[in-house]
Amino acid sequence: MSSADNARYAGRVAVVTGGASGIGAAIVRRLVAEGASVVAGDISADRLAELERELGDRCHGVAADVTSEADVERLVATAVDRFGGLHAGFNVAGGGGGGSLLEQSEEDWRRVLDLCLTGVFLSMKHEGRALREGGGGAIVNIASLNSTVPMFGGSAYCSAKAGVAMLSQCGALELAEHAIRVNTVSPGLTATPLTAALTELPGATEAYLERIPLKRVGSPEEMAAAALYLGSDDAGYVSGANLFVDGAWATSTYPDLRPFLAQLAPPAAGA
Ligand SMILES: NC(=O)c1ccc[n+]([C@@H]2O[C@H](COP(=O)([O-])OP(=O)(O)OC[C@H]3O[C@@H](n4cnc5c(N)ncnc54)[C@H](O)[C@@H]3O)[C@@H](O)[C@H]2O)c1
């Protein structure tokens, strides 16, 4: 038996939405490296074609918009037709935009909710049906630190990401009877094209790092590692979890009290 036969995803078939860039592309690359056959869906046909050239026969790209149910249905059907079934769905497509609560247009609000939340619902629905058909599997949804932490200008994005975390929990509850596990990965700041414009502004990365105890930006590969864990048999009893992969950022909303604590008298022994 070769090492590929022993790999965690050997013989498995996966769908990855938003698979042409950033975290999604890192998930596709690692799935192929761990033995899976992958259908990557994205609105960027050019970048999908590049990924196919890079990864070979076990990566197939499908131009698909997650806000269109017909596209999502076709994406999932392609995985089943081409590779013979489905074992895991990774729902990564998403993006930002937005603005102040008082100024954001209804159109823009709906655009963000459609992409980040409805797109995940449609993907879960069609992946879930294919997984049920095959006797079970796993769904991993990518939310964000913003699933629990608000940000300026992020009403639509944060609400959508909180919705993704809840949708995953509803899925974990409802789909368990079909042996389908559903989990969420909530990335912190990750170096991808999505965040590049902001983090390249002078002082912006430093402002983020003040809040991130590990004092560095995460990589798409670190997000992929967490997602592949949750999608694999290693997480066979894990369902309904929201795994924060954020350099401990979620812990740091409290002020740094160390300078103040140092000024207080030490507590009496045994206190
Ligand atoms: N980068 C971060 O710091 C960060 C942090 C938290 C959460 N996230 C989330 O991670 C996910 C991936 O983000 P990323 O940083 O890799 O971004 P990215 O921009 O590098 O990749 C997003 C991909 O989604 C695709 N996409 C956009 N709209 C689509 C649609 N309607 N249908 C199908 N595909 C579509 C894009 O073409 C792109 O390939 C997103 O859901 C994002 O909200 C990112």
Side-chain angles (χ1 to χ4, degrees):
M1 195 180 262
S2 74
S3 61
D5 294 327
N6 282 326
R8 254 188 327 184
Y9 283 86
R12 303 279 170 102
V13 180
V15 163
V16 182
T17 73
S21 172
I23 295 168
I27 290 174
V28 173
R29 288 191 178 96
R30 182 134 183 201
L31 281 167
V32 169
E34 293 206 27
S37 297
V38 182
V39 171
D42 205 288
I43 50 172
S44 172
D46 291 350
R47 277 185 281 114
L48 285 174
E50 278 173 33
L51 209 57
E52 283 181 335
R53 278 194 293 278
E54 175 192 330
L55 296 174
D57 288 349
R58 282 198 283 110
C59 172
H60 180 69
V62 172
D65 181 337
V66 292
T67 66
S68 153
E69 182 157 17
D71 278 16
V72 173
E73 201 169 0
R74 182 170 48 82
L75 174 69
V76 173
T78 302
V80 174
D81 294 347
R82 192 177 182 97
F83 295 122
L86 186 70
H87 303 95
F90 295 84
N91 300 320
V92 192
S100 105
L101 185 56
L102 302 186
E103 304 302 333
Q104 184 167 28
S105 68
E106 181 183 349
E107 184 190 6
D108 203 44
W109 165 271
R110 289 189 189 280
R111 181 187 60 76
V112 176
L113 268 286
D114 264 7
L115 170 59
C116 292
L117 183 56
T118 308
V120 174
F121 157 66
L122 294 173
S123 303
M124 287 175 70
K125 175 179 171 181
H126 290 283
E127 290 161 359
R129 288 178 174 185
L131 293 171
R132 179 182 60 183
E133 193 66 29
I139 294 174
V140 181
N141 295 323
I142 303 299
S144 168
L145 176 76
N146 296 125
S147 64
T148 58
V149 178
M151 69 175 171
F152 285 98
S155 296
Y157 183 78
C158 298
S159 301
K161 293 300 188 179
V164 169
M166 178 51 76
L167 188 54
S168 298
Q169 287 191 289
C170 291
L173 181 68
E174 264 190 54
L175 303 183
E177 65 172 316
H178 305 297
I180 299 167
R181 297 180 300 101
V182 185
N183 290 291
T184 303
V185 172
S186 278
L189 181 63
T190 311
T192 72
L194 183 69
T195 50
L198 180 58
T199 54
E200 281 163 13
L201 294 174
T205 298
E206 291 70 18
Y208 274 113
L209 295 186
E210 271 178 33
R211 295 277 174 173
I212 302 173
L214 283 183
K215 296 295 173 209
R216 65 178 179 81
V217 179
S219 70
E221 291 73 24
E222 287 172 315
M223 305 307 142
L228 263 77
Y229 160 67
L230 289 172
S232 78
D233 293 346
D234 285 343
Y237 201 54
V238 183
S239 194
N242 185 357
L243 178 56
F244 285 80
V245 187
D246 66 349
W249 189 356
T251 68
S252 69
T253 52
Y254 214 72
D256 184 351
L257 292 183
R258 285 173 295 184
F260 305 103
L261 293 174
Q263 296 172 47
L264 296 176

